[in-house]
């Protein structure tokens, strides 16, 4: 009995000190102590050698020891399952990062930034407006009442559920929204995407981009418009490019003009880009119509202003030698990665 006590004491110490790092060590523990040929079984078998009057006491001791071993086993199992390092999500924070390929800007973005930055240098502030617009901001306020024939100049996508709303056909809606704010003077430049129900081809698309400019103050004249645009052309196309204004018609400007620059591809001699005319049309412009000012709550007797609007795709196509407008919206990386901001 004394011997048995000592033995159990030793075993208990051994079990108490045991630690396992993984499931394999836990299993080895089970086999050693609780297995069919394990130590617990073995000393249970030693019971038969205990004197009859000590059997009860010894039995209790052995049972306690068995329970002790079983508890330890349960505890080992628990800790190794819960704390086993999960190798599937383990991250080595010391590894160098993956290279993220450097993208390039879209040619339309490059051209837009270029145009906008020239006007920003003259103090024009950038603003944007909604692409889904109501009839008033896209047409009505711009002196294009319902059934006005000039609405046909721009073939419009209407929203089916509510034809009072449409996809804006030009960025002129931003003019109206800025004027409505009533903070004068206004000197703004408004880039954005516009939509027209046109057949998609190499030369035209049902959506494209424009930049609109607006200047409203006291005593703004057509001379201011011309000087502003002369500056733009010089910065954009170089000193030697010539400019001409042709009378035109827009309901929201009076007088109205279209501006051409001498063909910067052939230098004015005549090529396929300028269709042998020597001139390339760049933008539409004019003095803001008094009706438009009144529609926006601005007194046309006190204030005057000019506005202009130009496309972005066409100058970008000329600049980069792109011969199909559809390429801009196909998202082909082979096309997109060719353009750099160094223009
Ligand atoms: N909104 C006109 C168009 O889309 C361009 C324009 C803007 C003309 C401002 C004159 C003044 O064609």
């Amino acid at each position: 009995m004394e011997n048995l006590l000592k033995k159990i004491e030793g075993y208990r110490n051994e079990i108490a000190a045991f630690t396992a790092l993984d499931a394999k060590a836990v299993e080895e523990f089970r086999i050693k102590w609780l297995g069919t040929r394990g130590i617990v079984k073995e000393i249970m078998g030693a019971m038969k050698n205990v004197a009859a009057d000590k059997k009860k006491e010894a039995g209790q001791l052995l049972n306690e020891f068995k329970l002790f071993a079983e508890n330890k086993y349960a505890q080992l199992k628990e800790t190794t399952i819960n704390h086993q390092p999960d190798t599937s999500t383990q991250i080595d924070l010391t590894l160098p990062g993956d290279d993220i390929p450097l993208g390039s800007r879209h040619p339309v973005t490059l051209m837009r930034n270029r145009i906008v930055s020239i006007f920003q240098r003259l103090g024009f502030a950038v603003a944007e407006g909604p692409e889904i617009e109501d009839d008033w901001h896209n047409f009505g306020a711009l002196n294009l009442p319902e059934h006005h024939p000039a609405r046909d100049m721009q073939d419009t996508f209407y929203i089916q559920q509510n034809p009072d709303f449409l996809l804006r056909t030009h960025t002129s809606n931003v003019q109206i929204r800025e004027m409505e704010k009533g903070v004068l003077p206004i000197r703004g430049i408004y880039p954005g995407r516009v939509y027209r129900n046109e057949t998609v081809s190499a030369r035209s698309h049902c959506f494209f981009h424009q930049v609109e400019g607006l200047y409203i103050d006291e005593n703004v004249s057509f001379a201011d418009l011309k000087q502003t645009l002369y500056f733009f052309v010089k910065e954009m196309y170089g000193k030697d490019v010539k400019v001409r204004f042709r009378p035109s018609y827009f309901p929201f400007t009076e007088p109205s003009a279209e501006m051409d620059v001498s063909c910067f591809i052939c230098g004015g001699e005549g090529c396929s880009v300028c269709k042998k005319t020597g001139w390339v049309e760049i933008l539409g412009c004019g003095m803001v119509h008094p009706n438009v000012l009144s529609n926006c709550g601005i007194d046309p007797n006190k204030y005057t202003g000019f506005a202009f609007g130009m496309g972005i795709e066409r100058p970008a196509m000329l600049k980069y030698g792109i011969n199909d407008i559809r390429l801009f919206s196909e998202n082909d990386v082979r096309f997109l990665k060719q353009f750099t901001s160094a223009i």
Side-chain angles (χ1 to χ4, degrees), residues 170-194:
H170 50 187
T171 41
S172 305
N173 67 327
V174 192
Q175 275 193 43
I176 301 302
R177 291 188 173 272
E178 289 301 301
M179 285 194 272
E180 276 175 349
K181 289 181 183 165
V183 186
L184 292 158
I186 297 171
R187 198 159 34 175
I189 188 86
Y190 313 134
R193 183 176 291 165
V194 303

Short mmCIF file of all heavy atoms in Angstrom, two decimals, residues 170-194:
data_model
loop_
_atom_site.label_atom_id
_atom_site.label_comp_id
_atom_site.label_asym_id
_atom_site.label_seq_id
_atom_site.Cartn_x
_atom_site.Cartn_y
_atom_site.Cartn_z
N HIS A 170 -25.83 67.87 -72.76
CA HIS A 170 -24.64 68.73 -72.73
C HIS A 170 -24.36 69.13 -71.28
O HIS A 170 -25.19 68.93 -70.40
CB HIS A 170 -24.82 69.97 -73.62
CG HIS A 170 -26.10 70.72 -73.41
ND1 HIS A 170 -26.49 71.77 -74.21
CD2 HIS A 170 -27.08 70.60 -72.47
CE1 HIS A 170 -27.64 72.25 -73.79
NE2 HIS A 170 -28.01 71.55 -72.73
N THR A 171 -23.16 69.68 -71.07
CA THR A 171 -22.81 70.10 -69.70
C THR A 171 -23.37 71.48 -69.37
O THR A 171 -23.11 72.00 -68.29
CB THR A 171 -21.28 70.09 -69.51
OG1 THR A 171 -20.66 70.62 -70.68
CG2 THR A 171 -20.76 68.69 -69.26
N SER A 172 -24.19 72.05 -70.28
CA SER A 172 -24.77 73.38 -70.02
C SER A 172 -25.69 73.37 -68.80
O SER A 172 -25.99 74.42 -68.24
CB SER A 172 -25.53 73.86 -71.25
OG SER A 172 -24.68 73.84 -72.38
N ASN A 173 -26.15 72.17 -68.39
CA ASN A 173 -26.97 72.12 -67.17
C ASN A 173 -26.20 72.64 -65.96
O ASN A 173 -26.79 73.19 -65.04
CB ASN A 173 -27.49 70.70 -66.92
CG ASN A 173 -26.39 69.72 -66.57
OD1 ASN A 173 -25.27 69.82 -67.06
ND2 ASN A 173 -26.69 68.75 -65.71
N VAL A 174 -24.88 72.48 -65.99
CA VAL A 174 -24.08 72.95 -64.84
C VAL A 174 -24.05 74.48 -64.80
O VAL A 174 -24.08 75.07 -63.72
CB VAL A 174 -22.65 72.36 -64.86
CG1 VAL A 174 -21.95 72.61 -63.53
CG2 VAL A 174 -22.67 70.87 -65.18
N GLN A 175 -24.02 75.12 -65.98
CA GLN A 175 -24.16 76.59 -66.06
C GLN A 175 -25.36 77.03 -65.25
O GLN A 175 -25.28 77.92 -64.41
CB GLN A 175 -24.54 77.02 -67.50
CG GLN A 175 -23.48 77.22 -68.49
CD GLN A 175 -24.10 77.94 -69.71
OE1 GLN A 175 -24.88 78.87 -69.56
NE2 GLN A 175 -23.74 77.47 -70.90
N ILE A 176 -26.51 76.40 -65.58
CA ILE A 176 -27.77 76.80 -64.94
C ILE A 176 -27.68 76.60 -63.42
O ILE A 176 -28.03 77.48 -62.64
CB ILE A 176 -28.95 75.97 -65.52
CG1 ILE A 176 -29.05 76.19 -67.03
CG2 ILE A 176 -30.26 76.32 -64.82
CD1 ILE A 176 -29.24 77.63 -67.46
N ARG A 177 -27.19 75.41 -63.03
CA ARG A 177 -27.12 75.11 -61.59
C ARG A 177 -26.19 76.08 -60.86
O ARG A 177 -26.46 76.47 -59.72
CB ARG A 177 -26.69 73.66 -61.37
CG ARG A 177 -27.78 72.70 -61.81
CD ARG A 177 -27.51 71.26 -61.45
NE ARG A 177 -28.68 70.46 -61.76
CZ ARG A 177 -29.69 70.26 -60.92
NH1 ARG A 177 -29.64 70.79 -59.71
NH2 ARG A 177 -30.74 69.55 -61.29
N GLU A 178 -25.12 76.48 -61.52
CA GLU A 178 -24.20 77.43 -60.87
C GLU A 178 -24.82 78.83 -60.80
O GLU A 178 -24.68 79.52 -59.80
CB GLU A 178 -22.87 77.47 -61.63
CG GLU A 178 -22.03 76.20 -61.47
CD GLU A 178 -21.66 75.91 -60.02
OE1 GLU A 178 -21.02 76.77 -59.38
OE2 GLU A 178 -22.03 74.83 -59.51
N MET A 179 -25.51 79.23 -61.89
CA MET A 179 -26.12 80.56 -61.88
C MET A 179 -27.24 80.63 -60.84
O MET A 179 -27.40 81.65 -60.16
CB MET A 179 -26.65 80.92 -63.27
CG MET A 179 -25.54 81.29 -64.24
SD MET A 179 -26.15 82.07 -65.74
CE MET A 179 -26.48 80.67 -66.78
N GLU A 180 -27.99 79.52 -60.69
CA GLU A 180 -29.09 79.50 -59.73
C GLU A 180 -28.62 79.74 -58.29
O GLU A 180 -29.38 80.18 -57.45
CB GLU A 180 -29.80 78.13 -59.78
CG GLU A 180 -30.84 78.03 -60.86
CD GLU A 180 -31.42 76.63 -60.95
OE1 GLU A 180 -30.86 75.69 -60.32
OE2 GLU A 180 -32.42 76.45 -61.66
N LYS A 181 -27.35 79.42 -58.04
CA LYS A 181 -26.83 79.61 -56.68
C LYS A 181 -26.79 81.09 -56.31
O LYS A 181 -26.74 81.44 -55.14
CB LYS A 181 -25.43 79.01 -56.56
CG LYS A 181 -25.42 77.48 -56.58
CD LYS A 181 -24.00 76.94 -56.44
CE LYS A 181 -24.02 75.41 -56.53
NZ LYS A 181 -22.67 74.87 -56.75
N GLY A 182 -26.76 81.96 -57.37
CA GLY A 182 -26.88 83.40 -57.12
C GLY A 182 -25.63 84.06 -56.56
O GLY A 182 -25.70 85.18 -56.07
N VAL A 183 -24.50 83.39 -56.60
CA VAL A 183 -23.27 84.01 -56.11
C VAL A 183 -22.49 84.54 -57.31
O VAL A 183 -22.02 83.76 -58.14
CB VAL A 183 -22.40 82.99 -55.33
CG1 VAL A 183 -21.20 83.68 -54.69
CG2 VAL A 183 -23.23 82.26 -54.29
N LEU A 184 -22.38 85.87 -57.38
CA LEU A 184 -21.75 86.50 -58.55
C LEU A 184 -20.50 87.27 -58.13
O LEU A 184 -20.44 87.73 -56.99
CB LEU A 184 -22.76 87.43 -59.23
CG LEU A 184 -23.93 86.69 -59.88
CD1 LEU A 184 -25.12 87.60 -60.05
CD2 LEU A 184 -23.52 86.09 -61.21
N PRO A 185 -19.52 87.48 -58.98
CA PRO A 185 -19.45 86.97 -60.34
C PRO A 185 -19.18 85.45 -60.38
O PRO A 185 -18.80 84.86 -59.38
CB PRO A 185 -18.25 87.74 -60.92
CG PRO A 185 -17.39 88.04 -59.73
CD PRO A 185 -18.33 88.25 -58.59
N ILE A 186 -19.37 84.87 -61.58
CA ILE A 186 -19.12 83.44 -61.77
C ILE A 186 -18.02 83.28 -62.82
O ILE A 186 -18.05 83.91 -63.87
CB ILE A 186 -20.38 82.71 -62.29
CG1 ILE A 186 -21.52 82.78 -61.26
CG2 ILE A 186 -20.06 81.25 -62.63
CD1 ILE A 186 -22.84 82.29 -61.79
N ARG A 187 -17.05 82.44 -62.49
CA ARG A 187 -16.02 82.12 -63.47
C ARG A 187 -15.75 80.63 -63.29
O ARG A 187 -14.98 80.22 -62.43
CB ARG A 187 -14.76 82.95 -63.19
CG ARG A 187 -13.82 83.01 -64.35
CD ARG A 187 -12.88 84.20 -64.25
NE ARG A 187 -12.52 84.51 -62.86
CZ ARG A 187 -11.65 85.44 -62.51
NH1 ARG A 187 -11.04 86.15 -63.42
NH2 ARG A 187 -11.35 85.68 -61.24
N GLY A 188 -16.45 79.80 -64.10
CA GLY A 188 -16.42 78.36 -63.84
C GLY A 188 -16.08 77.53 -65.06
O GLY A 188 -16.30 77.95 -66.20
N ILE A 189 -15.56 76.34 -64.77
CA ILE A 189 -15.24 75.39 -65.85
C ILE A 189 -15.84 74.04 -65.44
O ILE A 189 -15.65 73.58 -64.32
CB ILE A 189 -13.70 75.35 -66.11
CG1 ILE A 189 -13.35 74.54 -67.35
CG2 ILE A 189 -12.89 74.89 -64.90
CD1 ILE A 189 -13.42 75.35 -68.62
N TYR A 190 -16.65 73.45 -66.34
CA TYR A 190 -17.51 72.34 -65.95
C TYR A 190 -17.32 71.11 -66.85
O TYR A 190 -17.93 71.01 -67.91
CB TYR A 190 -18.99 72.79 -66.01
CG TYR A 190 -19.24 74.14 -65.36
CD1 TYR A 190 -20.01 75.11 -66.00
CD2 TYR A 190 -18.69 74.44 -64.11
CE1 TYR A 190 -20.23 76.35 -65.41
CE2 TYR A 190 -18.91 75.68 -63.51
CZ TYR A 190 -19.68 76.63 -64.17
OH TYR A 190 -19.89 77.86 -63.59
N PRO A 191 -16.48 70.20 -66.46
CA PRO A 191 -16.27 68.99 -67.27
C PRO A 191 -17.29 67.91 -66.91
O PRO A 191 -17.77 67.86 -65.79
CB PRO A 191 -14.86 68.53 -66.86
CG PRO A 191 -14.69 69.03 -65.46
CD PRO A 191 -15.60 70.23 -65.28
N GLY A 192 -17.62 67.05 -67.88
CA GLY A 192 -18.54 65.96 -67.53
C GLY A 192 -18.93 65.12 -68.73
O GLY A 192 -18.60 65.42 -69.87
N ARG A 193 -19.69 64.04 -68.43
CA ARG A 193 -20.13 63.11 -69.46
C ARG A 193 -21.53 63.49 -69.92
O ARG A 193 -22.36 63.91 -69.11
CB ARG A 193 -20.14 61.69 -68.90
CG ARG A 193 -20.52 60.64 -69.95
CD ARG A 193 -20.42 59.26 -69.37
NE ARG A 193 -19.03 58.93 -69.12
CZ ARG A 193 -18.63 57.90 -68.36
NH1 ARG A 193 -19.52 57.15 -67.77
NH2 ARG A 193 -17.35 57.66 -68.18
N VAL A 194 -21.76 63.37 -71.22
CA VAL A 194 -23.07 63.71 -71.78
C VAL A 194 -23.54 62.57 -72.69
O VAL A 194 -22.74 61.72 -73.09
CB VAL A 194 -23.01 65.04 -72.57
CG1 VAL A 194 -22.52 66.17 -71.67
CG2 VAL A 194 -22.12 64.92 -73.79
#
